[in-house]
Amino acid sequence: MATISSLYIIGNGFDLHHGINSSYGNFREWLSENDCDLLYQFDKIYGDCDSDWWKDFENQLASLNAIEYSGGIAFENQPDLMSEHCDRTWNDAQIAVEQELEGLFCSVRQDFHNWIIQLNTPVYARKIKLEAKEALFVNFNYTLTLEDLYNINPKHILHIHGCVDYDEEFILGHGKSFDELQQLNSIELPKPPEDISSDELAQFYEDNAVGQELHEQLALDAAINGVAAQRKPVDTLLHRFADFIGTMDEVKNICIYGLSLSDVDVPYIQYLALKFKDAQWQFSDFKNQNIQKINSFCESNEITDYRVINLEDIMQVHQLCIPFEEFE
């Protein structure tokens, strides 16, 4: 029977604990100094993207009001019905949407990469106690904190979203499927009043018709497709996750450090819950921000042997302790 002592799942809260300015709020601050035009583009396309919006940046990529956005583009790119080439102009709004969204998402991925590679190094005084012997690590971050600060063998680490040390594109995105996005951007027809005559019903539908012309529908489809393309390939990543864990039949300890248990992250933890339900589970939670999610997850997955800790409580060098707030 193949057994490992501990399996660590590392999220961004782990890097934040170590004084790395890796929050999405920090990304927005970096953009304000290095690419204000991109911030303007997000405000133009998504609406007013305030600090709260940016705190949940990846999930917010799915929040585009595609109906409103594509409708504006379609209004600016109406087909010229008087032109002998009218048929060609029905696609103008679609092309405009595709080009604008492609430019936005391409730019943000490039800026995201440039921001990640310049992040500050972790603070040694923030080190925590890790049982690295006979342990595996799944790192949702892009940084080398485990390798550089804890001297973990890279062979024992899966950087599931990419890593600054590898020549590969970082994986980022939301968790909404195409069908979910389509549902979020569906046009609801008003319901007719009860007990009206057939003539009144016909008149009601005529007065409240919400129809779209071809160029408007093409633009809307392009907007939904553009946002759907920013979804994380969770199914593919789950296979990588399962392959990394391999044929392990038993894990004594599962430590979830710095992961917020957002919808896009939960499938990985559910996989572990099915496979290693009887392990001792440990979740870190900063200021009880995710305590309800943790308790709910454990209850729904029948995990009974678990505890919630603060990374501050398992630090190695308490005498050099630097308050976490300094790094927020």
Side-chain angles (χ1 to χ4, degrees):
M1 176 181 291
T3 303
I4 61 173
S5 174
S6 299
L7 175 62
Y8 289 90
I9 311 297
I10 303 298
N12 192 43
F14 183 82
D15 274 359
L16 289 172
H17 166 82
H18 289 88
I20 301 175
N21 297 322
S22 57
S23 72
Y24 292 133
N26 296 140
F27 180 39
R28 183 194 187 208
E29 292 172 2
W30 184 89
L31 286 174
S32 68
E33 297 177 1
N34 294 274
D35 194 351
C36 287
D37 288 342
L38 186 62
L39 289 177
Y40 170 78
Q41 281 297 103
F42 268 104
D43 286 339
K44 173 189 172 186
I45 293 172
Y46 277 82
D48 183 16
C49 301
D50 58 14
S51 58
D52 287 336
W53 191 96
W54 278 96
K55 285 179 182 178
D56 197 25
F57 161 65
E58 284 192 274
N59 289 324
Q60 291 287 9
L61 290 175
S63 70
L64 176 67
N65 186 330
I67 295 174
E68 181 177 312
Y69 166 67
S70 64
I73 298 293
F75 180 79
E76 297 171 357
N77 293 272
Q78 299 186 46
D80 183 0
L81 300 180
M82 303 300 295
S83 170
E84 61 183 41
H85 303 295
C86 175
D87 288 349
R88 300 179 186 176
T89 63
W90 285 103
N91 296 99
D92 287 353
Q94 172 191 350
I95 293 170
V97 168
E98 290 172 345
Q99 290 179 341
E100 187 165 61
L101 290 184
E102 182 179 355
L104 177 75
F105 295 134
C106 181
S107 294
V108 76
R109 288 177 183 278
Q110 184 60 57
D111 278 350
F112 188 82
H113 184 277
N114 292 338
W115 170 64
I116 290 291
I117 62 177
Q118 60 79 56
L119 288 175
N120 60 292
T121 56
V123 176
Y124 175 82
R126 307 291 299 175
K127 283 185 69 174
I128 65 173
K129 298 174 183 177
L130 292 180
E131 300 295 335
K133 187 177 180 181
E134 297 181 348
L136 292 177
F137 298 79
V138 179
N139 194 349
F140 282 71
N141 306 329
Y142 311 91
T143 58
L144 296 169
T145 306
L146 291 171
E147 293 91 333
D148 293 346
L149 191 61
Y150 291 90
N151 297 315
I152 305 298
N153 187 335
K155 293 181 180 180
H156 298 161
I157 304 171
L158 170 64
H159 287 274
I160 197 155
H161 290 156
C163 176
V164 294
D165 205 31
Y166 306 139
D167 185 19
E168 60 185 3
E169 183 178 347
F170 295 162
I171 295 173
L172 71 154
H174 59 78
K176 298 291 186 184
S177 67
F178 176 84
D179 290 342
E180 289 173 318
L181 291 170
Q182 218 173 22
Q183 182 64 35
L184 288 171
N185 290 280
S186 61
I187 300 175
E188 294 187 9
L189 295 175
K191 294 182 179 180
E194 297 180 358
D195 301 325
I196 62 174
S197 68
S198 58
D199 290 340
E200 291 173 325
L201 184 63
Q203 185 63 46
F204 173 85
Y205 281 122
E206 182 178 338
D207 294 341
N208 293 278
V210 184
Q212 284 188 306
E213 295 186 21
L214 176 61
H215 74 294
E216 294 173 320
Q217 184 60 55
L218 291 174
L220 176 58
D221 290 344
I224 295 174
N225 282 322
V227 174
Q230 309 313 308
R231 186 190 188 196
K232 280 182 178 176
V234 175
D235 291 341
T236 300
L237 296 177
L238 268 173
H239 284 297
R240 288 181 58 191
F241 184 78
D243 289 343
F244 178 72
I245 296 172
T247 59
M248 295 299 169
D249 298 302
E250 183 181 352
V251 174
K252 295 180 180 179
N253 305 293
I254 295 179
C255 303
I256 317 292
Y257 288 170
L259 202 68
S260 64
L261 295 187
S262 65
D263 291 344
V264 75
D265 297 329
V266 165
Y268 305 95
I269 315 304
Q270 285 180 326
Y271 174 86
L272 295 178
L274 289 172
K275 193 174 177 65
F276 307 117
K277 186 177 300 184
D278 296 330
Q280 291 183 326
W281 290 67
Q282 189 176 85
F283 297 83
S284 76
D285 187 22
F286 179 65
K287 293 185 176 179
N288 291 325
Q289 292 177 350
N290 292 307
I291 188 66
Q292 291 184 343
K293 283 185 180 180
I294 294 170
N295 290 335
S296 177
F297 175 84
C298 291
E299 181 179 353
S300 61
N301 288 276
E302 299 180 349
I303 297 171
T304 57
D305 190 0
Y306 76 96
R307 67 189 185 110
V308 181
I309 58 105
N310 191 319
L311 294 181
E312 297 278 336
D313 299 331
I314 54 172
M315 288 174 57
Q316 287 186 354
V317 193
H318 288 284
Q319 66 270 26
L320 296 178
C321 179
I322 300 174
F324 181 88
E325 285 76 8
E326 291 189 17
F327 305 110
E328 292 188 307

